[in-house]
Amino acid sequence: MTETEGAERLRDLTDRYGKLDGADLLRPMLETEFPGRIALVSSFGAEAAVLLQIAAEIDRHLPVIFLDTGKLFGETLRYRDQLVKRLGLTDLRVIRPVAAEVEAADPEGVLWDSDPNGCCGVRKVEPLRRALAGFDAWISGRKRFHGALRTFLPVIELSGTKIKINPLARWSKLRIEEEFARHGLPRHPLEADGFLSIGCLPCTGRVAPGADHRAGRWAGREKTECGIHL
């Protein structure tokens, strides 16, 4: 799909589905618009269980892409396995960066300190680009209440030549909490220790009470996104 075709497709989808969210938006994307050509990208972070629950109720065979950067918390890996088993997800795709590319860009393993954008590029952006090559659309769990670049997040957008669906974009923190309670979903084990947005270990910190939801990500830097959504 070219960028022009993508823009036309985006307009059409927005006209038909732009007022929907949650399962009401996700179901037609999976069953009608992109059957077999859409994947869900999940960090298995603090809020990930809600979107995974919705997706599993519609189609537990949906491809779920998980980027294992080699710098993740062990708690995240165990939480991933717990949710996959609980929700009955059958197509988890663990994507890792190419070892030779990591060795060339980050031989000491500390690129995150001197060049966090470069670290995210080799460990997340490029691996995801390859993982999505066979899909026409993908799903993210971003939400407007996360703030910064996400404040005006649309529910459907164009990412390069692919359609990106954000079913929870309009959902509030309260709505997310209600869904956790309604389904009895397990929480990420680090959340109780003050980690509200959880990525790679070196670039994730605790969030002070009342601080921005993503304040613990790349704290002290201007960086607010890993790059896969830019």
Side-chain angles (χ1 to χ4, degrees):
M1 183 167 61
T2 66
E3 289 190 12
T4 299
E5 291 170 336
E8 293 175 353
R9 186 83 163 107
L10 174 62
R11 284 193 292 271
D12 175 59
L13 291 171
T14 300
D15 287 344
R16 286 188 286 154
Y17 305 109
K19 295 183 179 179
L20 303 179
D21 56 24
D24 292 337
L25 173 63
L26 198 55
R27 186 177 296 279
M29 297 299 115
L30 270 58
E31 297 179 347
T32 305
E33 300 298 336
F34 303 102
R37 295 176 289 112
I38 187 169
L40 189 156
V41 176
S42 179
S43 67
F44 286 83
E47 299 168 351
V50 171
L51 181 56
L52 291 166
Q53 168 76 34
I54 294 171
E57 289 178 346
I58 299 170
D59 181 8
R60 63 189 181 89
H61 306 299
L62 173 71
V64 176
I65 295 173
F66 173 74
L67 297 172
D68 186 348
T69 65
K71 297 287 187 182
L72 298 176
F73 289 90
E75 289 88 344
T76 295
L77 302 180
R78 291 188 287 274
Y79 185 57
R80 174 201 64 193
D81 295 343
Q82 178 187 13
L83 285 179
V84 167
K85 181 178 180 179
R86 176 191 172 96
L87 300 176
L89 300 170
T90 67
D91 193 5
L92 175 69
R93 304 186 183 188
V94 179
I95 307 300
R96 297 181 175 88
V98 175
E101 294 180 1
V102 172
E103 176 62 24
D106 190 12
E108 304 299 325
V110 292
L111 187 62
W112 58 269
D113 187 36
S114 61
D115 182 7
N117 287 329
C119 187
C120 288
V122 72
R123 294 180 183 275
K124 295 188 73 173
V125 178
E126 183 57 22
L128 181 61
R129 184 192 65 78
R130 288 193 292 264
L132 290 174
F135 297 98
D136 294 335
W138 58 292
I139 306 155
S140 98
R142 292 174 300 158
K143 305 159 195 75
R144 292 177 181 173
F145 77 79
H146 290 168
L149 297 178
R150 304 183 179 193
T151 303
F152 302 103
L153 183 69
V155 293
I156 307 172
E157 60 183 325
L158 189 63
S159 178
T161 59
K162 299 182 188 298
I163 297 294
K164 190 191 301 184
I165 311 299
N166 307 304
L168 309 185
R170 301 188 188 103
W171 285 27
S172 65
K173 179 62 174 174
L174 176 60
R175 178 76 182 276
I176 296 297
E177 294 301 318
E178 290 173 344
E179 290 299 301
F180 265 100
R182 185 161 74 93
H183 295 286
L185 295 169
R187 310 301 299 233
H188 192 294
L190 291 176
E191 189 175 3
D193 198 24
F195 294 87
L196 303 186
S197 180
I198 303 163
C200 291
L201 191 154
C203 300
T204 300
R206 294 175 177 82
V207 176
D212 181 80
H213 182 83
R214 287 173 58 84
R217 302 293 294 277
W218 305 285
R221 301 178 184 267
E222 293 183 2
K223 183 177 174 67
T224 60
E225 296 281 350
C226 68
I228 65 173
H229 296 296
L230 300 179

